[in-house]
Amino acid sequence: MKTIGIIGGGQLGRMLAMAASRLNFRTIILEPQPDCPAAQLANSQIVAAYDDRIALAQLADACDVVTYEFENVPVEAARYLEKLVAVYPPPQALEVAQDRLIEKQYLNSCGISTAGFRAVDSQEDLDKALAEFGGKGVLKTRRLGYDGKGQMVFRAGDAADGVYARLGGVPLILESFVPFAREISIIAARGLDGHIECYDPAENVHRNGILHTSTLPANIGLAVAVQARDAALRLLNALDYIGVLGIEFFVTDDERLIANEIAPRVHNSGHWTEAACAISQFEQHIRAVGNLPLGDPFRHSDCVMQNLIGDVINEVEAWARLKDVLIHLYGKAQPRPGRKMGHITRLTGHRL
């Protein structure tokens, strides 16, 4: 029986461990938090920091392949592991995804459109970039931001005095505003043989910077869906990627796609696949990194996935009374504002 190491112990690692067990893989979690959500369902856990080289060597020695459940794994740790054991997705994908400036530049190099952007390394850079964008834009930390964290919105007339220092003097990026009709994402996978499969694009709604719902089918035309698939194929092949990847897009009124960000891992907006497809994104990722044939991503049902954030977890009993609802809770002890505690997927129609 082969063993897959998973770096990161959150809900994505938990769902990967579940999928792995169904395919007869053992899983070992590397995570500094004891009794993390992923370890509750994995075969074992190494309790250590992500960059602990002794722990990384222990993980490599015990596993046939190592993957990760979030994109902020230290690149140096992934590079070190790569010398000892196969690591998928490749560390280069981490390097691209961890820095928003590098990410935008890489997407553009692949022929994938993004918002306009400027590197901001000083207050002078910020003032100049805002002037170029008409005083408007979204200022973000280049690294370690997610679910709306590390961001500041500027509208025309907003003062920017001292903002660079207030944000800690760290490298930033200013992105231009993109007028858009809706937000979508696509989940795609590439196997060791180079074969690629794409799920249907989901239409996403965010609240307070956090994904609230993903709806299938998205309210888009065939041309937009083809653009999303084409972007996924370009990016996966350019990175020589192995595993599942998510790309978020803005859809403009004239049906152009503007890439917002990429995630080199299974993605929140793909959770619907466990209810509406025979092969979920989690199984697809395990198939890819475990060198099994990729599954058919056909969607058999229309659906709406909703995140259960904070105290919304207390409404689970009401969801449990409804038919055609899949409930997935993450094993987290305490709800907090903004914390993802689980999700539900409601099937709204069948396509078969």
Side-chain angles (χ1 to χ4, degrees), residues 176-199:
S176 64
F177 273 136
V178 176
F180 63 91
R182 56 188 45 85
E183 296 178 80
I184 68 167
S185 59
I186 190 165
I187 308 298
R190 185 174 184 271
L192 281 160
D193 60 357
H195 180 68
I196 294 173
E197 293 285 359
C198 298
Y199 291 93

Side-chain angles (χ1 to χ4, degrees), residues 291-313:
N291 199 20
L292 293 175
L294 296 185
D296 187 343
F298 173 75
R299 174 174 57 85
H300 57 68
S301 299
D302 298 340
C303 63
V304 179
M305 187 285 301
Q306 178 182 326
N307 276 325
L308 304 179
I309 307 294
D311 289 337
V312 176
I313 190 73

Side-chain angles (χ1 to χ4, degrees), residues 275-333:
C277 301
I279 308 298
S280 73
Q281 66 164 340
F282 308 104
E283 178 173 333
Q284 197 77 294
H285 186 78
I286 295 300
R287 284 176 175 238
V289 304
N291 199 20
L292 293 175
L294 296 185
D296 187 343
F298 173 75
R299 174 174 57 85
H300 57 68
S301 299
D302 298 340
C303 63
V304 179
M305 187 285 301
Q306 178 182 326
N307 276 325
L308 304 179
I309 307 294
D311 289 337
V312 176
I313 190 73
N314 297 325
E315 300 173 13
V316 164
E317 185 174 340
W319 288 112
R321 296 181 187 279
L322 302 179
K323 66 177 184 178
D324 292 333
V325 171
L326 182 148
I327 300 171
H328 197 134
L329 307 182
Y330 299 156
K332 298 180 180 180

Side-chain angles (χ1 to χ4, degrees), residues 326-350:
L326 182 148
I327 300 171
H328 197 134
L329 307 182
Y330 299 156
K332 298 180 180 180
Q334 297 295 330
R336 296 194 300 264
R339 191 182 199 194
K340 295 174 182 175
M341 301 298 295
H343 67 269
I344 61 98
T345 304
R346 178 166 49 91
L347 302 183
T348 56
H350 299 283

Side-chain angles (χ1 to χ4, degrees), residues 34-212:
D35 192 33
C36 59
Q40 293 167 15
L41 298 181
N43 294 94
S44 62
Q45 178 184 0
I46 298 171
V47 180
Y50 305 128
D51 59 355
D52 183 324
R53 292 210 167 189
I54 294 176
L56 290 168
Q58 181 184 352
L59 182 69
D61 186 59
C63 295
D64 298 281
V65 62
V66 172
T67 188
Y68 43 86
E69 63 124 31
F70 71 116
E71 62 267 42
N72 288 323
V73 173
V75 173
E76 297 78 9
R79 291 287 187 202
Y80 174 74
L81 265 178
E82 192 178 37
K83 299 174 183 177
L84 307 175
V85 68
V87 176
Y88 305 129
Q92 183 192 6
L94 288 174
E95 291 181 307
V96 170
Q98 285 181 2
D99 186 312
R100 287 188 170 97
L101 178 63
I102 295 174
E103 177 186 57
K104 293 287 191 294
Q105 292 170 336
Y106 196 86
L107 286 166
N108 289 172
S109 75
C110 293
I112 301 170
S113 298
T114 64
F117 58 91
R118 299 289 185 273
V120 173
D121 294 307
S122 67
Q123 184 65 43
E124 182 181 359
D125 287 346
L126 176 58
D127 295 339
K128 181 179 178 181
L130 281 170
E132 292 178 8
F133 291 158
K136 300 179 291 184
V138 183
L139 184 66
K140 303 178 180 179
T141 55
R142 281 174 53 178
R143 302 179 67 87
L144 300 178
Y146 67 97
D147 285 345
K149 298 179 176 67
Q151 300 187 14
M152 178 178 293
V153 176
F154 284 93
R155 306 190 186 280
D158 286 351
D161 295 346
V163 166
Y164 182 76
R166 289 203 302 273
L167 289 178
V170 297
L172 306 172
I173 182 173
L174 184 72
E175 300 175 8
S176 64
F177 273 136
V178 176
F180 63 91
R182 56 188 45 85
E183 296 178 80
I184 68 167
S185 59
I186 190 165
I187 308 298
R190 185 174 184 271
L192 281 160
D193 60 357
H195 180 68
I196 294 173
E197 293 285 359
C198 298
Y199 291 93
D200 291 346
E203 183 167 345
N204 302 319
V205 173
H206 292 80
R207 290 183 179 176
N208 300 316
I210 302 174
L211 181 65
H212 176 57

